[in-house]
mmCIF file of all heavy atoms in Angstrom:
data_model
loop_
_atom_site.group_PDB
_atom_site.id
_atom_site.type_symbol
_atom_site.label_atom_id
_atom_site.label_comp_id
_atom_site.label_asym_id
_atom_site.label_seq_id
_atom_site.Cartn_x
_atom_site.Cartn_y
_atom_site.Cartn_z
ATOM 1 N N THR A 20 2.924 55.495 -27.750
ATOM 2 C CA THR A 20 3.676 56.544 -27.062
ATOM 3 C C THR A 20 5.167 56.254 -27.202
ATOM 4 O O THR A 20 5.591 55.115 -27.007
ATOM 5 C CB THR A 20 3.314 56.616 -25.567
ATOM 6 O OG1 THR A 20 1.943 56.948 -25.409
ATOM 7 C CG2 THR A 20 4.157 57.671 -24.852
ATOM 8 N N ILE A 21 5.944 57.272 -27.544
ATOM 9 C CA ILE A 21 7.402 57.166 -27.597
ATOM 10 C C ILE A 21 7.973 58.304 -26.752
ATOM 11 O O ILE A 21 7.577 59.463 -26.914
ATOM 12 C CB ILE A 21 7.926 57.265 -29.044
ATOM 13 C CG1 ILE A 21 7.307 56.187 -29.924
ATOM 14 C CG2 ILE A 21 9.452 57.166 -29.068
ATOM 15 C CD1 ILE A 21 7.673 56.323 -31.392
ATOM 16 N N GLN A 22 8.901 57.961 -25.846
ATOM 17 C CA GLN A 22 9.476 58.992 -24.971
ATOM 18 C C GLN A 22 10.930 58.682 -24.669
ATOM 19 O O GLN A 22 11.280 57.549 -24.349
ATOM 20 C CB GLN A 22 8.692 59.103 -23.668
ATOM 21 C CG GLN A 22 9.170 60.227 -22.763
ATOM 22 C CD GLN A 22 8.342 60.346 -21.498
ATOM 23 O OE1 GLN A 22 8.537 59.604 -20.553
ATOM 24 N NE2 GLN A 22 7.385 61.264 -21.509
ATOM 25 N N THR A 23 11.773 59.719 -24.770
ATOM 26 C CA THR A 23 13.185 59.628 -24.394
ATOM 27 C C THR A 23 13.471 60.693 -23.342
ATOM 28 O O THR A 23 13.119 61.867 -23.530
ATOM 29 C CB THR A 23 14.086 59.844 -25.611
ATOM 30 O OG1 THR A 23 13.811 58.837 -26.595
ATOM 31 C CG2 THR A 23 15.551 59.767 -25.218
ATOM 32 N N ASN A 24 14.106 60.268 -22.236
ATOM 33 C CA ASN A 24 14.441 61.178 -21.144
ATOM 34 C C ASN A 24 15.949 61.172 -20.921
ATOM 35 O O ASN A 24 16.569 60.104 -20.907
ATOM 36 C CB ASN A 24 13.763 60.762 -19.837
ATOM 37 C CG ASN A 24 12.255 60.755 -19.941
ATOM 38 O OD1 ASN A 24 11.680 61.534 -20.684
ATOM 39 N ND2 ASN A 24 11.611 59.875 -19.210
ATOM 40 N N ILE A 25 16.524 62.347 -20.729
ATOM 41 C CA ILE A 25 17.934 62.483 -20.384
ATOM 42 C C ILE A 25 18.038 63.428 -19.184
ATOM 43 O O ILE A 25 17.480 64.529 -19.207
ATOM 44 C CB ILE A 25 18.754 63.038 -21.557
ATOM 45 C CG1 ILE A 25 18.650 62.107 -22.776
ATOM 46 C CG2 ILE A 25 20.220 63.212 -21.161
ATOM 47 C CD1 ILE A 25 19.327 62.665 -24.014
ATOM 48 N N TRP A 26 18.736 62.978 -18.140
ATOM 49 C CA TRP A 26 18.915 63.771 -16.933
ATOM 50 C C TRP A 26 20.402 63.824 -16.602
ATOM 51 O O TRP A 26 21.114 62.826 -16.755
ATOM 52 C CB TRP A 26 18.159 63.170 -15.750
ATOM 53 C CG TRP A 26 16.693 63.058 -15.961
ATOM 54 C CD1 TRP A 26 16.014 62.081 -16.622
ATOM 55 C CD2 TRP A 26 15.697 63.975 -15.502
ATOM 56 N NE1 TRP A 26 14.665 62.332 -16.611
ATOM 57 C CE2 TRP A 26 14.436 63.478 -15.924
ATOM 58 C CE3 TRP A 26 15.740 65.155 -14.757
ATOM 59 C CZ2 TRP A 26 13.244 64.138 -15.638
ATOM 60 C CZ3 TRP A 26 14.548 65.810 -14.475
ATOM 61 C CH2 TRP A 26 13.322 65.295 -14.914
ATOM 62 N N ALA A 27 20.879 64.948 -16.127
ATOM 63 C CA ALA A 27 22.278 65.088 -15.733
ATOM 64 C C ALA A 27 22.369 66.021 -14.530
ATOM 65 O O ALA A 27 21.632 67.014 -14.441
ATOM 66 C CB ALA A 27 23.114 65.642 -16.884
ATOM 67 N N LYS A 28 23.266 65.686 -13.605
ATOM 68 C CA LYS A 28 23.475 66.494 -12.411
ATOM 69 C C LYS A 28 24.956 66.492 -12.072
ATOM 70 O O LYS A 28 25.569 65.438 -11.967
ATOM 71 C CB LYS A 28 22.657 65.941 -11.243
ATOM 72 C CG LYS A 28 22.763 66.754 -9.958
ATOM 73 C CD LYS A 28 21.887 66.161 -8.874
ATOM 74 C CE LYS A 28 21.942 66.964 -7.583
ATOM 75 N NZ LYS A 28 21.082 66.372 -6.530
ATOM 76 N N VAL A 29 25.535 67.680 -11.940
ATOM 77 C CA VAL A 29 26.948 67.834 -11.626
ATOM 78 C C VAL A 29 27.056 68.797 -10.456
ATOM 79 O O VAL A 29 26.367 69.834 -10.427
ATOM 80 C CB VAL A 29 27.733 68.369 -12.834
ATOM 81 C CG1 VAL A 29 29.208 68.514 -12.495
ATOM 82 C CG2 VAL A 29 27.556 67.461 -14.042
ATOM 83 N N GLY A 30 27.913 68.448 -9.480
ATOM 84 C CA GLY A 30 27.999 69.306 -8.313
ATOM 85 C C GLY A 30 29.354 69.288 -7.647
ATOM 86 O O GLY A 30 30.211 68.450 -7.940
ATOM 87 N N VAL A 31 29.528 70.250 -6.756
ATOM 88 C CA VAL A 31 30.722 70.322 -5.921
ATOM 89 C C VAL A 31 30.262 70.528 -4.486
ATOM 90 O O VAL A 31 29.388 71.365 -4.221
ATOM 91 C CB VAL A 31 31.673 71.457 -6.381
ATOM 92 C CG1 VAL A 31 30.941 72.793 -6.411
ATOM 93 C CG2 VAL A 31 32.894 71.525 -5.486
ATOM 94 N N GLU A 32 30.810 69.738 -3.576
ATOM 95 C CA GLU A 32 30.470 69.812 -2.157
ATOM 96 C C GLU A 32 31.725 70.187 -1.383
ATOM 97 O O GLU A 32 32.608 69.361 -1.166
ATOM 98 C CB GLU A 32 29.890 68.484 -1.671
ATOM 99 C CG GLU A 32 28.580 68.113 -2.347
ATOM 100 C CD GLU A 32 27.943 66.872 -1.738
ATOM 101 O OE1 GLU A 32 28.542 66.298 -0.808
ATOM 102 O OE2 GLU A 32 26.857 66.496 -2.207
ATOM 103 N N LEU A 33 31.801 71.449 -0.978
ATOM 104 C CA LEU A 33 32.936 71.931 -0.211
ATOM 105 C C LEU A 33 32.796 71.617 1.261
ATOM 106 O O LEU A 33 33.776 71.689 2.008
ATOM 107 C CB LEU A 33 33.080 73.441 -0.418
ATOM 108 C CG LEU A 33 33.193 73.897 -1.888
ATOM 109 C CD1 LEU A 33 33.244 75.407 -1.967
ATOM 110 C CD2 LEU A 33 34.398 73.274 -2.552
ATOM 111 N N GLY A 34 31.578 71.272 1.676
ATOM 112 C CA GLY A 34 31.294 70.925 3.065
ATOM 113 C C GLY A 34 29.844 70.541 3.200
ATOM 114 O O GLY A 34 29.067 70.639 2.241
ATOM 115 N N PRO A 35 29.420 70.089 4.400
ATOM 116 C CA PRO A 35 28.016 69.681 4.578
ATOM 117 C C PRO A 35 27.015 70.777 4.250
ATOM 118 O O PRO A 35 25.909 70.497 3.798
ATOM 119 C CB PRO A 35 27.955 69.283 6.064
ATOM 120 C CG PRO A 35 29.369 68.966 6.435
ATOM 121 C CD PRO A 35 30.218 69.892 5.621
ATOM 122 N N GLU A 36 27.382 72.043 4.465
ATOM 123 C CA GLU A 36 26.484 73.158 4.188
ATOM 124 C C GLU A 36 27.141 74.169 3.250
ATOM 125 O O GLU A 36 26.939 75.376 3.363
ATOM 126 C CB GLU A 36 26.047 73.825 5.491
ATOM 127 C CG GLU A 36 25.178 72.917 6.351
ATOM 128 C CD GLU A 36 24.648 73.629 7.576
ATOM 129 O OE1 GLU A 36 25.452 74.128 8.376
ATOM 130 O OE2 GLU A 36 23.407 73.682 7.719
ATOM 131 N N SER A 37 27.910 73.622 2.301
ATOM 132 C CA SER A 37 28.494 74.426 1.237
ATOM 133 C C SER A 37 28.496 73.573 -0.024
ATOM 134 O O SER A 37 29.460 72.870 -0.323
ATOM 135 C CB SER A 37 29.917 74.871 1.599
ATOM 136 O OG SER A 37 30.478 75.653 0.558
ATOM 137 N N GLN A 38 27.369 73.612 -0.748
ATOM 138 C CA GLN A 38 27.154 72.721 -1.884
ATOM 139 C C GLN A 38 26.574 73.517 -3.055
ATOM 140 O O GLN A 38 25.710 74.377 -2.856
ATOM 141 C CB GLN A 38 26.192 71.582 -1.512
ATOM 142 C CG GLN A 38 26.620 70.769 -0.314
ATOM 143 C CD GLN A 38 25.575 69.739 0.083
ATOM 144 O OE1 GLN A 38 24.550 69.588 -0.580
ATOM 145 N NE2 GLN A 38 25.837 69.022 1.165
ATOM 146 N N TYR A 39 27.056 73.188 -4.285
ATOM 147 C CA TYR A 39 26.578 73.859 -5.481
ATOM 148 C C TYR A 39 26.349 72.808 -6.570
ATOM 149 O O TYR A 39 27.194 71.927 -6.773
ATOM 150 C CB TYR A 39 27.585 74.902 -5.961
ATOM 151 C CG TYR A 39 27.836 75.997 -4.949
ATOM 152 C CD1 TYR A 39 28.845 75.864 -3.992
ATOM 153 C CD2 TYR A 39 27.051 77.139 -4.936
ATOM 154 C CE1 TYR A 39 29.062 76.855 -3.055
ATOM 155 C CE2 TYR A 39 27.260 78.145 -4.005
ATOM 156 C CZ TYR A 39 28.268 77.992 -3.060
ATOM 157 O OH TYR A 39 28.479 78.985 -2.136
ATOM 158 N N TYR A 40 25.186 72.913 -7.258
ATOM 159 C CA TYR A 40 24.818 71.905 -8.250
ATOM 160 C C TYR A 40 24.259 72.560 -9.500
ATOM 161 O O TYR A 40 23.623 73.621 -9.448
ATOM 162 C CB TYR A 40 23.765 70.943 -7.689
ATOM 163 C CG TYR A 40 24.341 69.896 -6.769
ATOM 164 C CD1 TYR A 40 24.387 70.109 -5.401
ATOM 165 C CD2 TYR A 40 24.862 68.710 -7.278
ATOM 166 C CE1 TYR A 40 24.921 69.159 -4.558
ATOM 167 C CE2 TYR A 40 25.396 67.758 -6.449
ATOM 168 C CZ TYR A 40 25.429 67.985 -5.089
ATOM 169 O OH TYR A 40 25.976 67.044 -4.259
ATOM 170 N N ALA A 41 24.493 71.888 -10.629
ATOM 171 C CA ALA A 41 23.867 72.235 -11.908
ATOM 172 C C ALA A 41 23.148 70.998 -12.419
ATOM 173 O O ALA A 41 23.730 69.907 -12.459
ATOM 174 C CB ALA A 41 24.917 72.698 -12.919
ATOM 175 N N SER A 42 21.891 71.151 -12.788
ATOM 176 C CA SER A 42 21.084 70.038 -13.285
ATOM 177 C C SER A 42 20.489 70.415 -14.639
ATOM 178 O O SER A 42 20.126 71.570 -14.867
ATOM 179 C CB SER A 42 19.956 69.687 -12.308
ATOM 180 O OG SER A 42 20.467 69.341 -11.034
ATOM 181 N N ALA A 43 20.395 69.431 -15.522
ATOM 182 C CA ALA A 43 19.793 69.643 -16.838
ATOM 183 C C ALA A 43 18.954 68.431 -17.197
ATOM 184 O O ALA A 43 19.244 67.315 -16.760
ATOM 185 C CB ALA A 43 20.870 69.883 -17.895
ATOM 186 N N PHE A 44 17.908 68.665 -17.978
ATOM 187 C CA PHE A 44 17.045 67.559 -18.384
ATOM 188 C C PHE A 44 16.476 67.825 -19.765
ATOM 189 O O PHE A 44 16.358 68.972 -20.206
ATOM 190 C CB PHE A 44 15.898 67.345 -17.383
ATOM 191 C CG PHE A 44 14.873 68.447 -17.380
ATOM 192 C CD1 PHE A 44 13.754 68.388 -18.210
ATOM 193 C CD2 PHE A 44 15.011 69.543 -16.546
ATOM 194 C CE1 PHE A 44 12.812 69.396 -18.214
ATOM 195 C CE2 PHE A 44 14.078 70.562 -16.541
ATOM 196 C CZ PHE A 44 12.973 70.492 -17.374
ATOM 197 N N LEU A 45 16.120 66.728 -20.439
ATOM 198 C CA LEU A 45 15.435 66.773 -21.729
ATOM 199 C C LEU A 45 14.399 65.662 -21.743
ATOM 200 O O LEU A 45 14.721 64.506 -21.449
ATOM 201 C CB LEU A 45 16.408 66.589 -22.888
ATOM 202 C CG LEU A 45 15.775 66.357 -24.275
ATOM 203 C CD1 LEU A 45 15.019 67.599 -24.730
ATOM 204 C CD2 LEU A 45 16.830 65.957 -25.298
ATOM 205 N N ILE A 46 13.159 66.001 -22.043
ATOM 206 C CA ILE A 46 12.080 65.029 -22.184
ATOM 207 C C ILE A 46 11.488 65.217 -23.573
ATOM 208 O O ILE A 46 10.893 66.254 -23.872
ATOM 209 C CB ILE A 46 10.987 65.222 -21.111
ATOM 210 C CG1 ILE A 46 11.597 65.136 -19.715
ATOM 211 C CG2 ILE A 46 9.881 64.190 -21.274
ATOM 212 C CD1 ILE A 46 10.607 65.448 -18.597
ATOM 213 N N ASP A 47 11.668 64.228 -24.429
ATOM 214 C CA ASP A 47 11.226 64.300 -25.823
ATOM 215 C C ASP A 47 10.197 63.191 -26.044
ATOM 216 O O ASP A 47 10.523 62.011 -25.930
ATOM 217 C CB ASP A 47 12.419 64.133 -26.749
ATOM 218 C CG ASP A 47 12.046 64.368 -28.206
ATOM 219 O OD1 ASP A 47 10.926 64.868 -28.452
ATOM 220 O OD2 ASP A 47 12.856 64.051 -29.089
ATOM 221 N N SER A 48 8.958 63.568 -26.347
ATOM 222 C CA SER A 48 7.865 62.596 -26.437
ATOM 223 C C SER A 48 7.030 62.829 -27.688
ATOM 224 O O SER A 48 7.029 63.915 -28.272
ATOM 225 C CB SER A 48 6.935 62.697 -25.209
ATOM 226 O OG SER A 48 7.650 62.681 -24.007
ATOM 227 N N GLU A 49 6.298 61.804 -28.057
ATOM 228 C CA GLU A 49 5.199 61.927 -29.011
ATOM 229 C C GLU A 49 4.207 60.810 -28.728
ATOM 230 O O GLU A 49 4.586 59.750 -28.234
ATOM 231 C CB GLU A 49 5.698 61.846 -30.460
ATOM 232 C CG GLU A 49 6.272 60.504 -30.875
ATOM 233 C CD GLU A 49 6.551 60.463 -32.370
ATOM 234 O OE1 GLU A 49 5.584 60.338 -33.138
ATOM 235 O OE2 GLU A 49 7.727 60.572 -32.740
ATOM 236 N N TRP A 50 2.939 61.066 -28.993
ATOM 237 C CA TRP A 50 1.943 60.043 -28.736
ATOM 238 C C TRP A 50 0.696 60.288 -29.577
ATOM 239 O O TRP A 50 0.429 61.405 -30.027
ATOM 240 C CB TRP A 50 1.569 59.962 -27.255
ATOM 241 C CG TRP A 50 0.943 61.201 -26.685
ATOM 242 C CD1 TRP A 50 -0.364 61.577 -26.758
ATOM 243 C CD2 TRP A 50 1.605 62.217 -25.926
ATOM 244 N NE1 TRP A 50 -0.565 62.763 -26.096
ATOM 245 C CE2 TRP A 50 0.637 63.176 -25.571
ATOM 246 C CE3 TRP A 50 2.919 62.409 -25.504
ATOM 247 C CZ2 TRP A 50 0.948 64.307 -24.822
ATOM 248 C CZ3 TRP A 50 3.227 63.535 -24.761
ATOM 249 C CH2 TRP A 50 2.243 64.460 -24.434
ATOM 250 N N GLY A 51 -0.045 59.217 -29.757
ATOM 251 C CA GLY A 51 -1.307 59.313 -30.459
ATOM 252 C C GLY A 51 -2.450 59.644 -29.516
ATOM 253 O O GLY A 51 -2.394 59.358 -28.321
ATOM 254 N N CYS A 52 -3.482 60.250 -30.076
ATOM 255 C CA CYS A 52 -4.685 60.612 -29.308
ATOM 256 C C CYS A 52 -5.863 59.865 -29.933
ATOM 257 O O CYS A 52 -6.444 60.349 -30.925
ATOM 258 C CB CYS A 52 -4.934 62.112 -29.350
ATOM 259 S SG CYS A 52 -3.520 63.137 -28.887
ATOM 260 N N PRO A 53 -6.218 58.687 -29.441
ATOM 261 C CA PRO A 53 -7.275 57.895 -30.080
ATOM 262 C C PRO A 53 -8.584 58.657 -30.165
ATOM 263 O O PRO A 53 -9.011 59.323 -29.214
ATOM 264 C CB PRO A 53 -7.408 56.672 -29.159
ATOM 265 C CG PRO A 53 -6.092 56.584 -28.450
ATOM 266 C CD PRO A 53 -5.637 57.999 -28.265
#
């Protein structure tokens, strides 16, 4: 099994109840099936 994961999260917090976020991810895998 070979797997590479990339995660990113960027946000702005204007206050305790004023928050905005952008998240992105990439999961790239390959594996054998015996």
Side-chain angles (χ1 to χ4, degrees):
T20 298
I21 302 174
Q22 185 178 80
T23 300
N24 300 329
I25 300 174
W26 300 82
K28 182 178 181 180
V29 180
V31 56
E32 297 186 359
L33 305 177
E36 294 185 302
S37 180
Q38 304 175 3
Y39 299 90
Y40 282 93
S42 301
F44 69 91
L45 169 66
I46 303 175
D47 187 11
S48 310
E49 66 172 284
W50 62 83
C52 308

